[in-house]
Amino acid sequence: MSCNTSVTRVQVSSVDQVQRAPVHLMPCEIEHDGPAQVSQYLTATTKHCKQEKTVSFRGRGLKGQELSCPQGYTGLVLKEIDKTGSDQEDRTVRVSSVFDKLTYWNLETPPNSDDTVVMAMDWPQLAEAV
C-alpha cells in the first residue's frame, strides 16, 4: 500500500516585507490569481443599523460582514512560487500580503454565527479554554 503525501513549505521570512491588503472572501470561484482593482468593481454600502455590507457582483446580491482575525493572530495571503503539475508534489509558497480583518460575503443572505468562517474565528479562543 503506497502513501501519497506532499509537503507545503511556507517562506515565513517574507512576512516582514509585505504590505497589508484588504481581503474579500467571496462565495464563488474566480479564475484569476493576480492583483485586482477590487475597489473599482466592488464598492460596498453599509447599512448602519445592522453593520452589514451589501454589493452586487455580476448581477447577484451579496451580503457581507467584516471579520477580525482572533487577537494575537495575523492572516496571510499565500502565493505559490513554482506551480507544480500535480497535487501530489511538494510546494513552496511565499507570503504575498497580510491582513488583520477580512470581509466575508454570502450570496443574498447576511453572514451569521452558524457560518463556518465566522465560527472558525472563535477556534483559537475555544482551543485555549480547553
Side-chain angles (χ1 to χ4, degrees), residues 111-129:
N112 64 57
S113 60
D114 292 333
D115 289 350
T116 55
V117 173
V118 176
M119 289 189 295
M121 296 300 179
D122 293 331
W123 271 105
Q125 184 179 4
L126 180 61
E128 188 175 311

Side-chain angles (χ1 to χ4, degrees), residues 1-127:
M1 179 166 127
S2 67
C3 180
N4 293 329
T5 61
S6 61
V7 176
T8 300
R9 291 177 185 80
V10 179
Q11 290 182 343
V12 292
S13 60
S14 58
V15 170
D16 297 331
Q17 303 163 6
V18 297
Q19 297 181 351
R20 295 198 174 275
V23 172
H24 295 268
L25 183 55
M26 305 287 286
C28 59
E29 183 175 334
I30 300 172
E31 294 187 22
H32 180 71
D33 63 359
Q37 296 174 339
V38 174
S39 60
Q40 182 177 350
Y41 300 106
L42 191 73
T43 303
T45 58
T46 304
K47 293 182 179 178
H48 298 288
C49 60
K50 296 182 181 180
Q51 293 294 34
E52 103 185 5
K53 297 180 178 201
T54 60
V55 296
S56 176
F57 183 72
R58 293 191 172 191
R60 301 292 303 267
L62 300 178
K63 308 266 183 180
Q65 178 183 354
E66 195 168 88
L67 301 174
S68 295
C69 292
Q71 186 175 356
Y73 287 80
T74 299
L76 305 176
V77 177
L78 303 174
K79 183 168 179 106
E80 195 165 9
I81 293 174
D82 294 316
K83 291 194 176 193
T84 61
S86 165
D87 290 343
Q88 314 250 327
E89 295 180 45
D90 291 354
R91 300 166 182 258
T92 302
V93 296
R94 68 173 173 78
V95 179
S96 64
S97 62
V98 296
F99 60 95
D100 55 4
K101 60 186 174 187
L102 63 97
T103 305
Y104 171 58
W105 298 98
N106 269 344
L107 187 60
E108 299 177 0
T109 60
N112 64 57
S113 60
D114 292 333
D115 289 350
T116 55
V117 173
V118 176
M119 289 189 295
M121 296 300 179
D122 293 331
W123 271 105
Q125 184 179 4
L126 180 61

